[in-house]
Amino acid sequence: MADEQKDICGNCQNFKPKPDEKFSNCTEAKHAGLKYGMQVRADSRACEAFMPK
């Protein structure tokens, strides 16, 4: 369960919301080999592009 808490978008190097924003526009998201952009919250589940801070 500890790993589940660490592997979230808020702990990813790509998560960079602007000040006072709840969401980050992630342009590095990947799933099943496909790259795409998505809007994520800090507590979102990590995607395949997760890179620890």
Side-chain angles (χ1 to χ4, degrees):
M1 185 164 169
D3 287 338
E4 290 177 13
Q5 294 296 321
K6 290 194 304 187
D7 293 345
I8 58 174
C9 291
N11 294 332
C12 180
Q13 289 179 13
N14 297 317
F15 184 78
K16 297 176 186 169
K18 292 178 181 154
D20 300 326
E21 284 189 343
K22 285 184 177 180
F23 300 95
S24 173
N25 289 317
C26 182
T27 57
E28 299 297 323
K30 284 194 293 189
H31 183 72
L34 298 175
K35 194 170 179 181
Y36 55 92
M38 67 178 180
Q39 195 174 54
V40 294
R41 298 186 322 211
D43 62 349
S44 298
R45 295 295 303 152
C47 67
E48 294 173 8
F50 179 78
M51 296 176 60
K53 286 187 178 176

